[in-house]
Amino acid sequence: MSNNLCGGAQMPFRPGRVDAIEAGKTTGVPAPETDLEETLLFFERAGFDKVDAIGLTACGHTMGSVHHGGFPEAVDESFVTPNNTNGGSNFDATRGVFDPNVLGEYLNGTGTKGGPLVNSYNDTMNSDKRLYESDKNSTMRTLFAQGAGFLATCADLMGRAINTVPIGVQLSEPITVMPVKPVNVTYDFSEDGKLILSGKIRFLTPAGSSSPRSLTLRVSDDESELEPEAETGSSVSGRSGDAYGTTTYFPFSLSGPAIQNATSFSVQAPEVPEQTFRIDSQAFVVPSLTVLSGTALNATIALCTRFRSCEDLTVHIAAPLTQHGTLAPKINGMDVVVSKAIEEKRVCTLCRGQVILKDVPSGLVTVEALLHGKVVDTLLVNGGQAGW
Ligand code: HEM
């Protein structure tokens, strides 16, 4: 998250990690006073050789500061000022930006000259200096020669660190961005009980290109031209250079014979190949009857085949909750027990249930309906709320 928000290179995200809920048996990171030999041993234990160790440390130390508050032996009291009460001494002149500056400043003696762990008044604490000099600055020079390519080296090194997981944890392939993505495209019932198909198509335009003025949506033999919403979003996924890509939303609501038994719909935009997505009019989470109010989530799933009962259905929810000390939410997963409602809609049985979440969610809640273990529909509740 920090890498992305501060302008680092894209880092592929591989899902499947498990949260660590306590510290590991071995101490994880070296301290500034740790000698070179032991420092390299820490890195080696994590699968990083000397060149990697220098690179990874330079990558980390393009951001942030060493604070007198925590490390008085490295940063003296003179750094404590009314505007810097913790006495932070920055690693490079651009503390909040993921850039190669730390390399040039260290090699050329400009800016902060490599920062507090190179120039500390107490040489014992100069761990960056010891590490960078351990091969006569050869790795630092190679990294500097990469220019902005240093960011990709960092994404690779940090990716290796992040993707080192305990035995038994299997990471999946990286999640890649979908340039065309249906958001909550699902069936619903209108107020007068008619079946409607509605939702939005989210379209990602890379930085530098303009978003399409319309999209073509095809359901069965019917074609509709979709108009964009005025409000757009910005996405790091479409980033090039310093600029973010634009996300444009194309909302729609259809009714009538074409949507009745559709099993798919397709979307076409200029210069993007037509893409087809699956839908299911026989089993779906009903958006207008699935509501989050405070911590109470009421979910309704419609089953429109005669051979299905609410007992065939499993409903999972996943709600992001704020956790102390990190920007990353804790995902609270739960099952909703559903039972047949007295009310029916058209030919559909309605299965209803409620769960009380541990806290008010900090973002979108996912409601997933499964028939005999197979996902048939997913709805994001509170879809208007961006991010998490
Ligand atoms: C030889 C190995 C390393 C040593 C001895 C070391 C030591 C330190 C120390 C003492 C601080 C100051 C903390 C504070 O005052 O708040 C710091 C900050 C930091 N380190 Fe390292 N570090 C090492 C390697 C790394 C690596 C491999 C990364 C990540 C890839 C990293 C990322 C950071 C970041 C982002 C900060 C800034 C924190 C802030 O501003 O609050 N460090 N490091």
Side-chain angles (χ1 to χ4, degrees):
M1 245 192 314
S2 311
N3 171 66
N4 223 337
L5 293 174
C6 299
Q10 288 283 309
M11 278 174 73
F13 174 70
R14 299 183 60 190
R17 301 168 59 81
V18 292
D19 286 348
I21 48 170
E22 57 184 295
K25 282 193 204 74
T26 47
T27 342
V29 294
E33 63 275 21
T34 311
D35 66 29
L36 181 66
E37 203 185 341
E38 198 184 348
T39 297
L40 291 174
L41 213 65
F42 274 99
F43 279 98
E44 202 182 291
R45 207 171 50 204
F48 295 98
D49 65 15
K50 193 201 267 185
V51 172
D52 296 336
I54 296 170
L56 198 56
T57 303
C59 294
H61 292 176
T62 178
M63 306 286 305
S65 343
V66 179
H67 303 83
H68 171 75
F71 295 89
E73 288 86 17
V75 175
D76 69 47
E77 209 176 350
S78 67
F79 282 86
V80 182
T81 64
N83 291 332
N84 188 6
T85 51
N86 229 347
S89 167
N90 300 339
F91 282 115
D92 70 11
T94 47
R95 180 188 58 185
V97 188
F98 209 110
D99 59 20
N101 284 356
V102 68
L103 307 166
E105 292 183 15
Y106 167 73
L107 291 170
N108 302 326
T110 53
T112 70
K113 304 184 175 62
L117 301 182
V118 171
N119 302 299
S120 172
Y121 69 96
N122 177 354
D123 203 41
T124 314
M125 303 300 271
N126 282 330
S127 50
D128 282 358
K129 184 168 161 233
R130 283 194 293 277
L131 192 58
Y132 298 162
E133 281 181 349
S134 67
D135 64 358
K136 304 195 175 58
N137 294 322
S138 141
T139 302
M140 288 299 272
R141 276 199 214 95
T142 310
L143 293 170
F144 182 57
Q146 291 179 345
F150 172 62
L151 270 56
T153 302
C154 292
D156 181 52
L157 285 168
M158 296 191 299
R160 272 173 56 197
I162 289 170
N163 292 338
T164 302
V165 290
I167 294 169
V169 176
Q170 188 72 44
L171 297 179
S172 309
E173 285 307 303
I175 293 179
T176 52
V177 68
M178 296 167 74
V180 180
K181 183 183 178 186
V183 180
N184 281 355
V185 173
T186 184
Y187 285 97
D188 200 348
F189 301 107
S190 64
E191 270 174 28
D192 53 2
K194 280 206 206 94
L195 194 65
I196 52 176
L197 178 68
S198 64
K200 293 181 184 187
I201 308 295
R202 191 219 62 192
F203 192 89
L204 172 68
T205 317
S209 11
S210 48
S211 22
R213 293 219 186 90
S214 71
L215 293 185
T216 309
L217 177 81
R218 203 193 330 268
V219 188
S220 307
D221 288 333
D222 270 25
E223 265 189 19
S224 325
E225 287 297 306
L226 308 187
E227 299 288 316
E229 276 178 0
E231 204 170 342
T232 57
S234 56
S235 169
V236 290
S237 303
R239 193 166 67 192
S240 79
D242 291 334
Y244 283 179
T246 308
T247 47
T248 315
Y249 296 89
F250 294 81
F252 67 90
S253 180
L254 305 172
S255 58
I259 66 153
Q260 290 303 317
N261 295 308
T263 52
S264 70
F265 64 94
S266 55
V267 180
Q268 189 160 30
E271 288 161 50
V272 179
E274 182 166 46
Q275 287 184 51
T276 304
F277 303 93
R278 201 181 60 83
I279 34 170
D280 193 340
S281 60
Q282 307 300 300
F284 56 93
V285 184
V286 186
S288 56
L289 301 173
T290 299
V291 183
L292 176 70
S293 170
T295 57
L297 178 81
N298 285 288
T300 306
I301 289 87
L303 293 181
C304 309
T305 39
R306 255 178 297 147
F307 313 105
R308 300 288 194 194
S309 85
C310 294
E311 273 138 47
D312 296 334
L313 199 62
T314 322
V315 182
H316 282 317
I317 62 135
L321 305 181
T322 306
Q323 51 182 347
H324 189 67
T326 168
L327 285 174
K330 174 142 191 92
I331 305 297
N332 180 199
M334 281 177 150
D335 279 349
V336 189
V337 180
V338 288
S339 52
K340 189 170 183 292
I342 300 162
E343 186 195 354
E344 287 189 354
K345 290 269 189 191
R346 303 179 71 249
V347 293
C348 307
T349 301
L350 297 183
C351 306
R352 262 188 198 153
Q354 188 191 61
V355 281
I356 305 293
L357 304 170
K358 285 189 196 135
D359 202 350
V360 178
S362 58
L364 300 173
V365 177
T366 307
V367 179
E368 193 178 63
L370 301 94
L371 275 174
H372 297 297
K374 194 169 157 271
V375 178
V376 286
D377 195 20
T378 305
L379 184 77
L380 302 174
V381 182
N382 275 12
Q385 194 176 341
W388 31 277

